Amino acid sequence: MLAASAAQAEFRVCNGTQNLVGAAVGYRAEEGWITEGWWQVPAGTCATLIEGELQSRYYYLYAEDAARGGRWTGDINMCVAENEFKIVGVKDCFARGYQQMGFKEYDTGRQGSWMVQLSDTSGTQESQN
């Protein structure tokens, strides 16, 4: 007999657009602020940016449409790099050789899972599982 599996705890991004989207996530960890990227999220698919039970209340997301240049942004400045990255700290991005982008804050309310739906028309939607 197979038992029903529990919903997996994670922070996911789903791409409801017609184009490839690159996504980066920011969060607070023991060693300080962390930003990580890039996850390539093809049209109509989802990607898990953080696996396991979410440890923080707030997570931050920045995403770009690879084909059209559209962006999903916010007003929390964090560091990103051109290629795959994991950066500790959000200050002095340019001086450290990184770019600075505005990330959108998501208040997960300490839920174990969170999903952000990116779309062409309405921006983003968020939900917990």
Side-chain angles (χ1 to χ4, degrees):
M1 278 262 203
L2 291 176
S5 61
Q8 188 168 347
E10 60 196 4
F11 186 91
R12 291 168 54 89
V13 172
C14 293
N15 179 0
T17 76
Q18 299 300 311
N19 298 314
L20 176 68
V21 169
V25 66
Y27 55 92
R28 184 98 173 147
E30 284 183 26
E31 61 267 42
W33 287 103
I34 306 284
T35 52
E36 292 186 68
W38 294 102
W39 280 267
Q40 302 300 307
V41 189
T45 69
C46 298
T48 299
L49 277 55
I50 297 176
E51 294 184 7
E53 194 79 16
L54 299 181
Q55 301 300 310
S56 296
R57 178 174 175 177
Y58 297 98
Y59 287 86
Y60 303 84
L61 179 71
Y62 172 83
E64 298 184 341
D65 181 319
R68 295 188 324 196
R71 294 181 174 164
W72 292 267
T73 65
D75 51 13
I76 307 298
N77 290 326
M78 296 185 160
C79 304
V80 299
E82 189 78 25
N83 297 309
E84 189 175 323
F85 66 90
K86 181 173 184 178
I87 301 169
V88 177
V90 295
K91 300 213 181 301
D92 302 318
C93 297
F94 299 115
R96 295 189 295 148
Y98 302 121
Q99 299 167 353
Q100 180 176 286
M101 296 296 180
F103 282 60
K104 181 172 179 178
E105 179 179 87
Y106 291 91
D107 180 350
T108 67
R110 298 219 175 265
Q111 296 289 322
S113 288
W114 199 259
M115 193 263 301
V116 176
Q117 176 74 42
L118 303 176
S119 68
D120 286 324
T121 54
S122 61
T124 62
Q125 298 172 344
E126 53 197 82
S127 66
Q128 65 270 348
N129 295 357

